[in-house]
Amino acid sequence: MLTYRDSSLFRLPQATEKPWLLLLLTFVWLWPGIIGHTPWKPDEPYVNAVVQAMLAGEAWWLPAIDGQPYLDSSPLYYWVATLFGRLFSPWLLPLHDAARLATPFFMAIALAFAGGVGRELIGRRHGRSVVLILIGCLGLIVTGHEMNPMVAGFAGFSAALYALVLTLRAPALAGAILGAATVVLFLAANLLQVLLVWSVALMLPAFGSWRNKHYAITLVMALLFALPLAAIWPLALYRGAPEVFAQWWHSYALGPLNGFGGLGLFHEFGYYPKLVLWYAWPAWPLAAWALWKNRRYELPVLQLPLLFFAVVLLLLTFSSRTQTEDAMPLLLPLAVLAAVELDSLRRGAAAFLNWFGLMAFGFFAVLVWLGWAAMNFGWPERLAARAQYFSPYYQPQVSWAALLLALVASGLWLWAVTRRHLRGRQAVTNWAAGLALLWGLLMTLWLPFLDAAKSYQPVVRGMMRAMPTGDRCVSVAAEQQLARINWAYYAGLRLQPVEEGEQPECDLFLMVRDMENPRDMPGWVVLWQGQRAREKREQFVLWRKLSP
């Protein structure tokens, strides 16, 4: 087993953290924000539209929206979301909530394999540490609760990293897991993510711990497992729609680098290193502490995560895309490195992390409670006025179930942060608990308020009320895909796309315009205009053609 054994590990105090506490905290972290709100930008409306199309009978091998291919991501996440939609909608949940269940499904898999990496690579008790550090990372909290295909890719990365660690103890099982992870990455992300994992796998024999026949067995098993399964989807796409396959290969197959038809290279210099400073907090300071304390790079516990981190960062540096979710794979090696010396973290550093988390999360939790009182009861008055400003569509409502959950979460957090004998592990636990508390309060007490501000549903309903009775023919510019998605989902209205230069077929036209550069339509009159709460750029305007 590729396990780091240092004599200092055997002098550590006996663990006080119980496995059931970790499971409870992880469960609490996984679920807030999964159900109870409509699809939010930037990704959820598109994912939900693909799921809706698959449920309506569209081809399983071709993600599509309104009959047009949607190739931003491979289809695995859509398939799983469609399965949940078929199982739980509409009898139990709205379609978007049922489809979003795919996110905790994949996140639970990712966290389970990440825990396995810590246990296999570092030693007993450290699987918990890796999971706690991961769920405490600021960057994972939003993406880890969105309807986002990158979550499935994150599970694939986690499984691949576990397989590379497991290889000496169980090479055949490791090969099966690496093969499955390869399939998941290809079907959830793109070819470049697969090449990234296999670049790491092929470079590992440069280190003595992986230069043996057991590791060769793992790689051969993985290839035998992955190649036939991974080929099913692209072959189906090629046979069913060869022109769409060519489009995918040309523009989308390499993800952050676009496709083989034209590589998209380089972005703003230093974007991802600067992003990591907040995105991977507190993993990266703890990882830096582990590297400074050891400085023995012949250890497998440092070699694998460092190589993984370097390859991912190099890939992101070459890409032309700057999206925060692309940095998710960086969290895995940083969390593993951070766990290596977590129990030897100096008391002063542990106390600072705990104090900083206590002050920050305690302060923002109090603000959330005050905001909830203001938006529902009008006190404090100035805060109530700001709440009305930021979410004017919100109608005061009190959910007693949400209130009870918020009270329980607040009480558990207060109990957690008042424990004695603080060390690194307890400080990280308290940090993760504080982040889970803040997210849980936002996604229980504030969820209707946030949904009223972020959802397109109030805008759609406003336009539908302004439309002439019985008129269901509305045109829109063909490139306004998001508008067509939202009006179809919330109002059952199929907007008629109009190519540039063509005349609208309908007497009503929905314009999506930039509020800083408003455009007029000669020969048309405005019937209605609106936008989401506090939207500063995007405005919707319904025009009616004047009679000749």
Side-chain angles (χ1 to χ4, degrees):
M1 182 168 64
L2 291 171
T3 302
Y4 166 49
R5 298 293 187 189
D6 187 277
S7 58
S8 63
L9 288 178
F10 299 100
R11 299 193 299 269
L12 294 175
Q14 186 175 358
T16 58
E17 306 297 327
K18 304 299 182 183
W20 68 267
L21 284 175
L22 171 65
L23 291 173
L24 177 62
L25 180 56
T26 305
F27 183 85
V28 170
W29 184 92
L30 279 173
W31 285 103
I34 297 299
I35 60 175
H37 68 85
T38 57
W40 291 349
K41 286 180 68 177
D43 299 298
E44 291 196 338
Y46 300 97
V47 176
N48 192 65
V50 173
V51 171
Q52 194 175 21
M54 287 187 173
L55 285 172
E58 295 286 345
W60 62 269
W61 39 264
L62 180 57
I65 296 176
D66 200 19
Q68 299 299 314
Y70 185 73
L71 303 173
D72 281 23
S73 298
S74 298
L76 179 62
Y77 186 93
Y78 305 131
W79 293 343
V80 176
T82 300
L83 176 61
F84 281 116
R86 191 173 299 279
L87 289 175
F88 299 112
S89 174
W91 69 274
L92 182 62
L93 294 170
L95 175 59
H96 50 266
D97 282 346
R100 204 180 288 115
L101 294 176
T103 293
F105 172 79
F106 282 113
M107 281 305 306
I109 293 173
L111 294 176
F113 277 116
V117 173
R119 184 181 64 254
E120 294 284 337
L121 188 60
I122 309 173
R124 181 176 172 271
R125 294 165 39 195
H126 286 85
R128 308 177 214 172
S129 303
V130 173
V131 173
L132 286 169
I133 293 166
L134 269 179
I135 65 176
C137 286
L138 299 178
L140 197 60
I141 192 70
V142 175
T143 308
H145 295 86
E146 287 181 328
M147 205 188 307
N148 191 326
M150 271 302 297
V151 175
F154 186 65
F157 276 113
S158 184
L161 193 60
Y162 177 72
L164 295 176
V165 175
L166 187 65
T167 178
L168 289 188
R169 185 167 69 83
L173 177 60
I177 295 174
L178 181 59
T182 301
V183 174
V184 168
L185 276 171
F186 177 61
L187 294 180
N190 48 70
L191 275 173
L192 191 64
Q193 310 288 13
V194 174
L195 293 175
L196 185 155
V197 165
W198 276 88
S199 296
V200 173
L202 294 176
M203 284 190 280
L204 275 177
F207 306 125
S209 299
W210 284 271
R211 199 182 308 124
N212 52 67
K213 65 178 182 181
H214 297 285
Y215 189 62
I217 292 172
T218 296
L219 296 187
V220 171
M221 285 283 297
L223 286 173
L224 291 175
F225 188 91
L227 288 177
L229 292 177
I232 293 174
W233 173 64
L235 284 176
L237 181 62
Y238 178 76
R239 290 177 179 176
E243 70 287 352
V244 177
F245 176 85
Q247 181 186 359
W248 170 78
W249 184 262
H250 185 276
S251 303
Y252 297 93
L254 294 178
L257 298 184
N258 299 333
F260 291 97
L263 295 179
L265 296 175
F266 302 113
H267 57 266
E268 174 193 351
F269 180 75
Y271 173 82
Y272 286 103
K274 289 186 291 187
L275 175 71
V276 166
L277 293 179
W278 71 265
Y279 193 83
W281 179 275
W284 72 262
L286 296 172
W289 161 253
L291 293 175
W292 182 87
K293 193 172 189 300
N294 279 287
R295 284 174 283 187
R296 293 163 57 191
Y297 300 111
E298 74 279 6
L299 297 172
V301 73
L302 301 183
Q303 291 170 340
L304 176 58
L306 279 175
L307 178 62
F308 195 94
F309 180 83
V311 172
V312 175
L313 189 60
L314 183 65
L315 159 68
L316 295 177
T317 300
F318 277 105
S319 72
S320 62
R321 193 165 70 185
T322 53
Q323 294 183 358
T324 55
E325 59 262 30
D326 286 339
M328 286 178 71
L330 291 173
L331 299 178
L332 288 166
L334 286 176
V336 173
L337 287 172
V340 172
E341 293 293 344
L342 182 61
D343 288 319
S344 65
L345 188 66
R346 293 175 179 172
R347 286 185 179 274
F352 172 77
L353 178 62
N354 188 66
W355 172 85
F356 181 66
L358 177 64
M359 293 295 103
F361 295 126
F363 173 74
F364 286 113
V366 170
L367 283 184
V368 171
W369 277 106
L370 284 175
W372 175 79
M375 68 181 69
N376 288 293
F377 304 109
W379 181 91
E381 292 183 5
R382 293 184 62 182
L383 201 57
R386 297 301 294 172
Q388 176 64 25
Y389 172 79
F390 281 107
S391 189
Y393 296 122
Y394 174 70
Q395 297 296 322
Q397 53 186 287
V398 176
S399 168
W400 295 108
L403 179 60
L404 179 61
L405 289 173
L407 288 170
V408 171
S410 300
L412 288 174
W413 178 75
L414 288 173
W415 167 79
V417 299
T418 54
R419 293 174 299 166
R420 298 180 180 180
H421 309 298
L422 184 72
R423 293 184 179 274
R425 188 183 298 266
Q426 288 75 33
V428 167
T429 303
N430 290 351
W431 176 274
L435 186 60
L437 167 73
L438 182 58
W439 180 256
L441 291 180
L442 286 171
M443 294 296 107
T444 51
L445 298 179
W446 280 36
L447 188 58
F449 174 85
L450 294 173
D451 193 39
K454 295 172 69 67
S455 176
Y456 282 93
Q457 189 173 32
V459 181
V460 174
R461 288 178 174 175
M463 194 203 82
M464 297 303 294
R465 287 193 296 267
M467 283 180 56
T469 304
D471 198 337
R472 300 282 292 181
C473 185
V474 182
S475 298
V476 70
E479 70 269 15
Q480 298 300 332
Q481 188 179 51
L482 185 60
R484 287 186 282 132
I485 289 172
N486 285 308
W487 263 261
Y489 189 63
Y490 296 119
L493 177 65
R494 184 180 175 85
L495 301 178
Q496 304 300 315
V498 179
E499 299 293 340
E500 187 175 358
E502 295 182 355
Q503 290 298 317
E505 296 180 1
C506 304
D507 291 338
L508 298 176
F509 184 85
L510 178 63
M511 176 187 288
V512 185
R513 67 184 185 184
D514 190 333
M515 286 190 284
E516 296 181 357
N517 298 293
R519 293 177 292 139
D520 292 329
M521 293 184 63
W524 297 68
V525 63
V526 174
L527 278 186
W528 166 89
Q529 59 185 20
Q531 63 273 337
R532 292 188 306 160
R534 307 276 53 85
E535 178 66 62
K536 296 182 179 179
R537 296 185 61 87
E538 182 185 63
Q539 185 183 44
F540 298 92
V541 182
L542 181 65
W543 299 82
R544 185 177 63 186
K545 184 186 296 186
L546 294 174
S547 301

